[in-house]
Amino acid sequence: MQPPMRTFLPCCLLLCGLLACGAAQAATARCHLIYGGEEWIVDAAPTATPYTVEGRKIGRYFEFKLVYADLPTTGKFIRAYTYGMSSGDPVLIHQATWRPPFDARKDAYGFSGFQYVYEPSKSSEIQYWCQHLP
């Protein structure tokens, strides 16, 4: 038994609409980090709650947090925070902010350029660069 056409067509249109929405992805910020010969990737999708974003432990002495905020009052921005962890507690040692338009190049170190951050008490170095993936 086949469903009547009047219920089948709206259901089909609804399903197509949901699939189209699922296929559209939001832009992403991606940072490539290098520390102690190892590489990490940290991604961030746009969020309206930037204070809830958690950092990621990188090696023994660093924590890195990437925030891609889309706020109604201040608009979009991407912010990278690097924390030193030598004392056991995170201490902010570097912060960078970028506003649109974000350079979408995948080469030449993206929109951030190649960054070096030094942890002062241990003389450790972390390097990173970030790109915008539309």
Side-chain angles (χ1 to χ4, degrees):
M1 181 173 182
Q2 293 185 357
M5 189 56 111
R6 65 175 184 238
T7 50
F8 179 74
L9 187 58
C11 289
C12 184
L13 291 174
L14 177 64
L15 180 61
C16 289
L18 289 173
L19 288 174
C21 289
Q25 291 182 329
T28 303
R30 172 173 286 169
C31 289
H32 304 263
L33 296 100
I34 303 164
Y35 173 67
E38 293 184 58
E39 295 185 19
W40 286 266
I41 292 179
V42 177
D43 290 332
T47 181
T49 56
Y51 294 111
T52 62
V53 175
E54 293 190 23
R56 180 169 174 192
K57 188 138 172 69
I58 305 294
R60 189 171 177 183
Y61 298 118
F62 291 102
E63 185 175 308
F64 188 84
K65 179 166 61 171
L66 181 63
V67 176
Y68 187 171
D70 189 359
L71 305 174
T73 54
T74 58
K76 291 183 181 183
F77 63 85
I78 296 172
R79 194 168 284 158
Y81 302 89
T82 308
Y83 298 90
M85 300 291 290
S86 64
S87 66
D89 294 320
V91 176
L92 183 65
I93 57 175
H94 170 78
Q95 176 184 327
T97 303
W98 299 274
R99 294 204 172 267
F102 304 115
D103 189 342
R105 286 182 289 182
K106 308 260 185 300
D107 57 351
Y109 304 117
F111 64 81
S112 68
F114 200 78
Q115 303 290 318
Y116 296 84
V117 180
Y118 298 95
E119 198 288 322
S121 66
K122 299 292 183 186
S123 299
S124 294
E125 174 188 88
I126 190 169
Q127 303 165 344
Y128 75 90
W129 65 276
C130 303
Q131 64 186 133
H132 186 252
L133 305 172

